[in-house]
Amino acid sequence: MENKNPLPKENQQIQLVVNRPESEETTIDLGRVFHNMKVKSRIFAWVLVLCLVVGISVPLLLYQFQKTPLTVTSVVTLRYDVPAGKEGTLVTPDGADLDLNTVTSAPVLQKALENLTLSQPLTIEMIRNNLMVTRVLTEDSSRTQEILSGLADAKDTEVYNRLEEAKIEYQNRFIVSLSNSFTPDNEESRIRYELKDEELRILLNRILDAYNDTLVRQYADVRLPEDKLSLIDTEELDIPEVLDSLNTALNSMLTYCNEKPDAVKEYRSWQTGLTLNEWMESIRTIQSVSIDYLDAYVYARGIMRDRDTVALTYRYRIRTLQGDLDKVNENISKNREILKNYKNNEVYVSMQESDSARTTKMTTAYYNKLVLEQQEYYANAASLRTEIAETQNKLDRLSGSTKKAEIRDVESELEKAIASVKSLYESVRAHMTELFVSPLYTTYSEHSAPQGEAENFLKASSKKMIIFGVIGVVVACGLWFLAALAPEFRRNHKEYDDPKAKADGKEAAEA
Amino acid sequence: MKKTHWLRNTLITLIVCGLAGLIIAFIMFNANPGRTGVSSFVEFAFDGAAEGKAPNGYRFDLNDLTSDEVLSAALKEAGLDGKYTVDEIKANLQISGVYPKNIVEQMTKYESLLTGNAGKVNAVDYHATMYSVTLYNDFDKSIAHADLEQLLSAIMTEFRTKFEKTYSVFLAKDSLLDNLADYDYPQQLELLEGSVKRYTDFAKQMAEEHAEFLLNGEGFADIASKYETLSSSDLDRLSGLVTMNALSKDQDRIVSQYENQIKVLQIHLAELEQLAKDTEYLISQYNKDDIIYVSTAEALQQVSGNSTQTYDQLVAARQETENEIAEKNKELAQIQLKLSDITGKAQTAKTSTTESGEDSAEGTTETVTVSAEEREAQKAVVEKGIASAVTKLNKITDDFSAYLKAYSEREMNDSTVAITAVKYNAPKILSGAFLKQVVREAGPICVLGFIACMICLIVSRVKESKKKA
């Protein structure tokens, strides 16, 4: 008999099944997925190869657009004598700080581009934007900076002060770099000009050559000795006057040679084997054995064509010199007066933790200038007095009467003296001309060959090629899996819509 | 699609893409070809080349290679002087030193104190000893291959000749001795002594710098020794004859010269001494500033003007004046001595015994009288002696020149200044540059073609599998 009132027995568990006809149960049979993957393996092997090839090719393609432009670098070393105490530092030949902006200046870049044909239309501004000049610290300065940088971590005020006051010196060399990929002056432009590697090196080479030429033009003293001989006219001038002119010419040559630096004076000519010091000795010797010797004879015998005119010339010269001397003496006495009455600054100095104070005088720049000016006036006055005394001495030596035969003898000797002096002048001139084309005067800065190599495109892209290759493989595998998975989803969807189909599917599966 | 068809189609596609890439590369290569030129190397192997110093001790460079002299001589040598100008060649000549790859790093590296290498010498002053020289044909693209090679070869040869001449050591004869007989005896001796001193100093310099050089068992030190012997024996003996006998062609003239020189020097000295006094006065009147330090809680600062600089300039000016005075005094003393010699005053010594028992000499003077014939005989001896000294001087100088020539030839010859054979460089189809261009142009095209083939294959396989399903 059926129990029509089924009541649960005591302690019996009740199972509640909620049956909602609209819900689906989605199950994916992984086994079938892998089976699908196996079926499609041949196709996806090719897809894998395709993704791998694409993955490896993309970085190579990207390299063309994103490669680091080549930078060429050169070290420039300065090769000229500098004032004592400044050796090995970045200064000009006269001891001032060297302005490195000259390397990127318009005249230098313009000179570099002269007669240079490049594959791209570059302007000076474009080149300047890609040029970089870097100074190199001396070893001592590098050490100082390293030590102070280390101490700076201590955040000590004294260390910061020392950092500020630390004397930083730079070596007599600097680095110049030129990068490829030039941007036109219009910054919004996307165009980039790239030179060939060889062109870039040639351009940097030319820039540094032009820089050297600029230094040479600015600082090399390529004056030749003054020609005080060509205007000596033995017809117009009397014998003593010719001798005076010859002496002046020799003194002028001596002054010219003496002003040269020691390195120049010690340079030995490859044509004569002599140095400028030795030429100066020759000048003094000729002055003594030729000019002074003839001078003594001329004045001792009073050998001249027109004594009165010579005497007149000397008196006039003395008068002019005396006028100059009077002017200088006036300046000296005026300056003396000013210096006597000048009031320099008075400074009060007081001691810390003390009531006492004292005053001290401090000279002003103007006062110092006056003092040095006064010393120059004294030197000028001494020089003028010397010249006056020498001319007076010549005037006093004019005496006696001359015979024509003596004049002829002296004129013949005078011609030889003039020839000797001219020969000396030509020799000194040739010596200096030889010097001016030597490295002493043509090479103020030397640079190493511009170097720089573009990274090999395979080496540069190798990492990216590996990464993208792996991504390609992962993508291919992903696609393969999805392709195997997709049919299973479609099948599940079909079976839910058509239960018969599901049953058939089940039977088919059981079969 | 059958496998064989696919393979065949892929191969065809790749070949077509490759050919297309090759054609494009060929067109682009010819549209913008590299420069054609000839190149050579010059290598310096003499002593000092690595320090940038030529055998004559001075810095050298290759500026002579582009000098007008060398280029015009080379054009003439190559038979092209009527066809091309020096300026055209100069603009197409490129010279470049050969440096190690990391030279920038080497020359500017700093070794930190924190490493163990702080004692190492870091800064390297490197000089190239090998240079590459390239002559491009931009001045005439149609110039024959052989002409271009010949021109560069001529340039290198002329450059080597010029280089060897310019950086060798050479000695010319002293032109001041050409008309020695025109001068008086003291002056002749002065000229000879000056000449000998110059040559001696030069020989000593060479001996010091190149002590190892020997020719026939003798070196530069031996040459210096010969000059010194000439000076100390022949010239000193002649000087003694001339001064002690007051020999002169025209004594009054020489006396007058010396007296005038002494007068002029005394004028100069008087003014220089006045100048020294004036400068001293300025220095004594000048009050140099005290050095003041301003102290605050944080720092100590020095406050000063430029009085030290001014003071130093005044002292330097005084020093210069005093140096000049010393020079003039020295010159004055020399001339006074020459004057006293030439006026014929001779000294005899009279010995007397002092309290200590030592001998001492007092000078007395007496005039020495010489007859005219004796004087003429003395003059003849002096003239003969001077002529002999000149001959000896010329002989030693000829030997010195020969030594210098031999030294220069040892230092500068074909092996120490070596020039390599000229090589012609033109953009060729089989050159590395062209192959690079082919890879750059054809590579992407081939890859695209391959990708296209792969896509076609995949699509066809998918269609096949769908048909089967």
Side-chain angles (χ1 to χ4, degrees), chain B residues 44-62:
Chain B
F44 301 105
F46 47 73
D47 237 359
E51 287 99 48
K53 285 198 178 152
N56 65 359
Y58 301 116
R59 271 192 287 129
F60 72 90
D61 61 25
L62 267 67

Side-chain angles (χ1 to χ4, degrees), chain A residues 146 268 368 385 390 413, chain B residues 58 112 253 268 271 286:
Chain A
E146 191 182 15
R268 197 169 287 282
N368 291 329
R385 284 195 302 265
E390 280 184 355
E413 210 174 314
Chain B
Y58 301 116
S112 166
R253 190 168 166 178
H268 279 253
E271 292 309 329
Y286 186 77

